[in-house]
Amino acid sequence: MLTNKSARKANRQPILRFGIAGLGGAAASMLPSIARHPGVKITAGADLREEAREKFRGEFQAEVYEKVEDLCKSRNIDAVYIATPHEFHAAHVMMAADYRKHVIVEKPMALTIEDCERMNAAAERNGIRLLVGHTHSFDPPILKIREIVRGGELGRLGMIHTWNFTNFLYRPRRPEELDTNLGGGVIFNQVPHQIDIVRWIGGGLVRSVRSTTGIWDPTRPTEGSHATYLEFLDGAAATVVYSGYDHFDTDEFHFWIGESGEPKEPGHGRTRKALRNVTDPHEEARLRASSGYGGSRQRRAILSAEQRERHHPHFGITIVSCERGDMRPSPDGVLIYDNEGKRQIPVTLGRVAPDKGRVIDEFYDAVVNDGPLYHDGRWGEATLEVCLAILRSAREKREVSLSHQVANRD
Ligand SMILES: NC(=O)c1ccc[n+]([C@@H]2O[C@H](COP(=O)([O-])OP(=O)(O)OC[C@H]3O[C@@H](n4cnc5c(N)ncnc54)[C@H](O)[C@@H]3O)[C@@H](O)[C@H]2O)c1
């Protein structure tokens, strides 16, 4: 890394050199935010797929590797963004930490609390910064809502409701993504976003969880839905609901703006229909891979940093109730409904679409300026604890108390 001292001498911002591990869908959607950060240079990438490595080498004039370990060994990176499938997160984070590389790991942090503990121990032992994200708790309107709650202008927080209805289960999947034991289903894949949102706004300390989960399609035998009630230590409550069965779409309640902030055509049931003719799991896995970086189906919206119409990303509908008013993210800011009526607080758009820039900002500041890391490994572990408690509460049909929660330190 061009250090603070040498950068100051040269009158330049310190440069953090990034390696990308796993060049799939998550990386494709994060790359614009990494590449556009003024203090970051992308210098290496690793993936099992040759087409992804070749495209990456051409686009970034970067080193490419098949194995994540070879990437972690490189002397030309300071930090690694790990976006391999979740079952590899623990091993890849520990590998990067042991080579003294700072890490951003995609959600979910891991599949067990024991793995999270080992990842946190590796980060602490090696003195590296570990951030768990991207999750939608970084969306600028969610950050603004948290700021208003903390500021106390609407009184004490009472309730948070976050509901999301999508087509998640019918997007092409690898077989393991339809097996809960291997990290499949919405609880490991989508619910971490929801839990991070409610923990971020509610202060972090969840006391207990009661949940019912749904496995409604025998051809896709993993959780596709849940209805969960959370209570925070200070008495605030949250309901968290998800359905990935491609029937109702909550974007209908969000002015038909999609998850990444893009205008969206209504299409209830379209994804399920498109998958009807795909009966072979290998063909489905091939389709899945082709939507990753360098694949033939990589989304044009992700490739284009200059969309004509841009709004904030979001994750379904979130309504936050304080004693003297309610709030919700809107496409361009935060809507407030209080004793005076309804008003919007505008929130500035990020550098690129899809906007995941706040993740890089928090990480860069932590690594380069020794700033605070809010979404650190302990935070990620606490979010995973809630997700695991959802599965357990549904299985055992009872309320589950938590013991790994940490407070939001913002
Ligand atoms: N934050 C978000 O909004 C978001 C969105 C999508 C995915 N994700 C997360 O990102 C992770 C990856 O998901 P995805 O949708 O990009 O999956 P994906 O299948 O599209 O991409 C994974 C990539 O990793 C590569 N890979 C697999 N095993 C590897 C290994 N051992 N070494 C090197 N490369 C390997 C694959 O070839 C593939 O290109 C998951 O944990 C997922 O939860 C996060």
Side-chain angles (χ1 to χ4, degrees):
M1 177 168 68
L2 179 60
T3 61
N4 255 332
K5 213 167 145 197
S6 51
R8 261 199 305 273
K9 251 187 183 168
N11 207 12
R12 275 167 51 200
Q13 184 169 14
I15 295 297
L16 192 63
R17 299 164 308 165
F18 253 87
I20 313 293
L23 301 171
S29 112
M30 181 64 95
L31 274 170
S33 294
I34 301 180
R36 284 288 184 94
H37 190 288
V40 165
K41 184 169 167 44
I42 294 172
T43 49
D47 201 284
L48 300 176
R49 290 182 302 118
E50 195 182 348
E51 61 176 356
R53 294 198 299 272
E54 285 318 307
K55 179 171 160 65
F56 190 85
R57 190 205 307 270
E59 186 170 345
F60 296 102
Q61 288 77 51
E63 301 169 0
V64 287
Y65 301 99
E66 190 173 344
K67 291 198 176 130
V68 173
E69 181 157 16
D70 292 333
L71 171 93
C72 293
K73 275 184 197 163
S74 169
R75 290 173 177 278
N76 297 319
I77 62 168
D78 309 302
V80 190
Y81 163 62
I82 295 176
T84 48
H86 351 303
E87 58 268 35
F88 301 116
H89 288 180
H92 289 161
V93 166
M94 289 188 281
M95 204 178 265
D98 285 341
Y99 285 104
R100 304 276 162 90
K101 302 301 193 295
H102 302 283
V103 176
I104 298 179
V105 62
E106 266 297 346
K107 58 78 200 162
M109 180 173 175
L111 300 179
T112 64
I113 291 295
E114 293 70 30
D115 273 351
C116 293
E117 294 275 317
R118 294 194 303 135
M119 294 155 86
N120 282 321
E124 284 154 22
R125 187 173 64 240
N126 289 293
I128 59 110
R129 310 304 297 268
L130 168 61
L131 182 151
V132 183
H134 160 263
T135 69
H136 280 278
S137 66
F138 287 95
D139 293 348
I142 296 291
L143 299 177
K144 187 72 191 171
I145 287 176
R146 167 68 181 156
E147 196 185 305
I148 295 169
V149 168
R150 278 205 60 186
E153 65 196 72
L154 294 177
R156 215 157 46 93
L157 174 71
M159 308 188 286
I160 307 167
H161 303 286
T162 191
W163 291 25
N164 203 358
F165 285 64
T166 73
N167 58 8
F168 180 83
L169 214 61
Y170 296 93
R171 301 173 199 158
R173 297 285 161 209
R174 294 185 302 273
E176 64 269 27
E177 292 180 291
L178 299 173
D179 181 343
T180 310
N181 291 325
L182 301 175
V186 300
I187 310 300
F188 285 114
N189 285 277
Q190 296 287 276
V191 176
H193 286 293
Q194 298 187 300
I195 301 304
D196 250 19
I197 288 171
V198 296
R199 290 189 57 241
W200 184 264
I201 295 170
L205 300 172
V206 179
R207 194 186 70 77
S208 72
V209 174
R210 180 70 178 95
S211 183
T212 297
T213 56
I215 302 178
W216 297 342
D217 179 347
T219 68
R220 300 179 90 71
T222 185
E223 289 78 14
S225 69
H226 78 116
T228 294
Y229 175 78
L230 303 181
E231 198 174 273
F232 285 91
L233 266 183
D234 65 4
T239 67
V240 188
V241 170
Y242 194 98
S243 169
Y245 284 104
D246 197 23
H247 294 137
F248 180 61
D249 180 343
T250 19
D251 290 341
E252 187 169 324
F253 288 172
H254 198 84
F255 312 93
W256 285 116
I257 300 299
E259 181 180 342
S260 301
E262 75 288 1
K264 180 173 176 180
E265 286 291 319
H268 305 279
R270 187 169 51 204
T271 313
R272 178 197 286 264
K273 278 185 206 139
L275 202 65
R276 256 183 208 154
N277 298 331
V278 183
T279 48
D280 172 18
H282 299 292
E283 189 192 343
E284 187 174 337
R286 271 196 301 278
L287 262 178
R288 166 87 169 92
S290 69
S291 63
Y293 180 82
S296 55
R297 293 193 323 127
Q298 185 181 349
R299 281 172 51 197
R300 297 239 42 97
I302 286 168
L303 285 173
S304 156
E306 315 295 345
Q307 284 178 329
R308 263 175 296 148
E309 189 184 332
R310 282 181 53 201
H311 304 276
H312 287 297
H314 71 94
F315 203 67
I317 176 150
T318 300
I319 304 176
V320 178
S321 298
C322 296
E323 289 164 320
R324 293 192 297 278
D326 298 330
M327 288 175 273
R328 70 163 171 136
S330 72
D332 303 306
V334 173
L335 285 167
I336 300 197
Y337 306 76
D338 64 7
N339 299 348
E340 304 307 316
K342 174 183 171 185
R343 66 198 146 94
Q344 171 159 259
I345 300 185
V347 175
T348 312
L349 281 174
R351 287 179 286 265
V352 290
D355 176 17
K356 298 185 174 185
R358 300 296 179 104
V359 183
I360 315 302
D361 292 346
E362 183 176 316
F363 184 70
Y364 180 86
D365 185 50
V367 172
V368 173
N369 303 320
D370 206 19
L373 198 56
Y374 303 115
H375 296 79
D376 64 5
R378 299 284 163 198
W379 177 268
E381 177 176 335
T383 290
L384 181 73
E385 183 188 31
V386 178
C387 297
L388 293 172
I390 288 174
L391 289 171
R392 184 166 175 200
S393 170
R395 213 169 39 238
E396 298 178 4
K397 301 196 183 307
R398 66 176 184 88
E399 187 179 1
V400 173
S401 298
L402 304 180
S403 57
H404 293 268
Q405 296 300 291
V406 289
N408 182 337
R409 293 179 289 110
D410 71 326

